[in-house]
Amino acid sequence: MRRWEEAIRQVTPYVPGEQPGGENLIKLNTNENPYPPSPAVRSLLKEMDGGNLRKYPDPASAELIEALGERYGLGTDRIFVGVGSDDVLALCFLTFFNSGRPVLFPDITYSFYKVWAELFGVPYETPALDGEFCIRAADYVKENGGVIFPNPNAPTGLYLPLAQVEEIVKANQDSVVIVDEAYVDFAGDGEGMKAAEGTSAVRLLEKYDNLLVVQTFSKSRSLAGLRIGFAMGSSRLIRALNDVKYSFNSYTMNMPSQLLGAASVRDEAYFKETVARIKATRENAKARFRHLGFSFPDSQANFLFVSHPKVQAKMLFEALKRERIYVRYFDAPRLENYLRVTIGTDEEMERLFEFLEAYLKEG
Ligand code: PMP
């Protein structure tokens, strides 16, 4: 091995879901929104002629942060934006998890956490979810260098009630606790959870300055292609994130993303309508899957994590792919007999269920 090769950082990268090309496929594998972004976003995009692109974008993303501040009732010093929540979360690992004590996150969760921990040399421990795939708040009440978990969790879709989130934040006031709310806008209105409002930990921010809530435009706002994520927290935490960002790259978010993102945030009616549609489709999908003999945790996200007692998940994954229906399969312990299926439009779900009915009958 050459000397320079020895000096290369050793990492095992995160593997994102496939982005297959071509027509006539049903893409239920990366939790994208099946509906287009707000008409306000699309008409602004048409108006843009690109002349301004000769200039650097606003490094502070002020317009976008102002729109978010109004939407969430927070001062602009309490919001940080990044290039997708992946960018925000990676910066969080770099900024907050430096104590040398282990950071805690669930054994079954968003698999990028482990990759960032390895990349930045952050020690970590992974308390196991219980037999029903639930996070046990008590597992996070111990010495640590930070806590991070998604709510709803991925890939299970399970939502941890806010009282338990608060228990974790309250017990860890010497650490930064990050709640990754990539899917929180879809929580509520489910079978097991009627309350549509108040599912986000944003409301705990008034009480705890060690809490950081991270959200994304990729799912509920149909803007995965723009790459916008944001963090909300105390001004002290936001300042720390900004200091690290400006030590790394001042111009992270491009100008069109800032303006289009702001237009999306200001169209509350469209946001509510599409989120409600996806939740209704999800609840119907639960009934259909159950009818076909599948079992699954009671997801509050825009995906279901399903398993069938008579069919191997991997075989079904491959059969679906041959039909040009893409879902996500994780070849990992405890997950290997499940498929994660993103909620599509009613028509897409109908085609999925037609295929599953025929497939199960044959088998
Ligand atoms: N957190 C969780 C739990 C996710 O599932 C995802 C989507 N892969 C992300 C964060 C990142 O999403 P994005 O970078 O598109 O905002």
Side-chain angles (χ1 to χ4, degrees), residues 34-328:
Y35 301 111
S38 149
V41 172
R42 300 171 79 194
S43 69
L44 180 58
L45 186 59
K46 277 197 198 123
E47 276 169 34
M48 288 178 171
D49 73 354
N52 266 346
L53 292 178
R54 69 183 183 79
K55 294 196 295 185
Y56 282 108
D58 173 10
S61 301
E63 169 135 0
L64 179 56
I65 286 184
E66 253 162 52
L68 285 167
E70 271 165 38
R71 166 69 168 71
Y72 290 92
L74 291 171
T76 52
D77 61 337
R78 304 190 56 189
I79 300 173
F80 175 86
V81 297
V83 184
S85 50
D86 281 343
D87 179 47
V88 175
L89 293 165
L91 276 176
C92 286
F93 271 72
L94 195 55
T95 307
F96 300 120
F97 297 160
N98 288 301
S99 67
R101 291 188 290 278
V103 166
L104 307 178
F105 50 84
D107 65 335
I108 295 174
T109 193
Y110 187 32
S111 49
F112 224 142
Y113 299 160
K114 195 170 147 190
V115 175
W116 288 314
E118 302 274 352
L119 176 64
F120 298 128
V122 174
Y124 60 92
E125 283 172 19
T126 57
L129 298 181
D130 72 13
E132 262 72 59
F133 286 137
C134 293
I135 290 176
R136 289 179 291 212
D139 291 348
Y140 296 82
V141 184
K142 64 197 261 197
E143 171 88 347
N144 65 69
V147 175
I148 179 165
F149 58 93
N151 198 28
N153 195 10
T156 62
L158 283 177
Y159 175 81
L160 185 69
L162 220 45
Q164 285 169 59
V165 174
E166 181 165 7
E167 199 180 312
I168 295 174
V169 180
K170 195 173 181 182
N172 285 290
Q173 298 197 38
D174 285 329
S175 299
V176 174
V177 177
I178 299 174
V179 185
D180 174 357
E181 294 190 334
Y183 302 103
V184 81
D185 294 324
F186 302 107
D189 290 339
E191 292 169 346
M193 222 185 109
K194 297 289 179 211
E197 298 295 328
T199 48
S200 169
V202 165
R203 68 152 82 157
L204 299 177
L205 289 175
E206 289 323 307
K207 272 165 89 179
Y208 302 98
D209 62 3
N210 61 318
L211 168 65
L212 198 76
V213 179
V214 176
Q215 296 191 4
T216 178
F217 284 45
S218 299
K219 323 289 179 184
S220 54
R221 294 192 180 277
S222 308
L223 287 172
L226 270 191
R227 311 302 299 124
I228 305 177
F230 57 107
M232 297 172 280
S234 59
S235 57
R236 180 69 193 97
L237 294 185
I238 298 302
R239 198 166 0 113
L241 272 175
N242 271 312
D243 285 346
V244 172
K245 171 209 145 142
Y246 285 112
S247 308
F248 190 75
N249 177 358
S250 333
Y251 303 109
T252 49
M253 192 176 300
N254 67 64
M255 186 188 297
S257 292
Q258 295 184 24
L259 303 180
L260 297 166
S264 163
V265 176
R266 293 191 173 117
D267 190 352
E268 186 71 16
Y270 182 84
F271 166 80
K272 283 208 168 115
E273 182 197 321
T274 45
V275 164
R277 246 196 259 174
I278 290 168
K279 288 201 248 180
T281 306
R282 175 189 70 205
E283 295 309 306
N284 284 333
K286 285 179 185 173
R288 298 286 292 272
F289 272 119
R290 192 173 296 120
H291 185 70
L292 291 172
F294 285 88
S295 58
F296 45 86
D298 186 22
S299 168
Q300 298 297 323
N302 67 335
F303 54 82
L304 293 175
F305 195 53
V306 303
S307 174
H308 197 283
K310 297 206 181 84
V311 188
Q312 266 182 12
K314 191 155 189 220
M315 280 181 64
L316 180 55
F317 168 75
E318 276 153 13
L320 283 163
K321 202 162 161 174
R322 285 194 292 276
E323 281 301 296
R324 311 262 304 140
I325 301 176
Y326 288 78
V327 299
R328 191 88 191 253

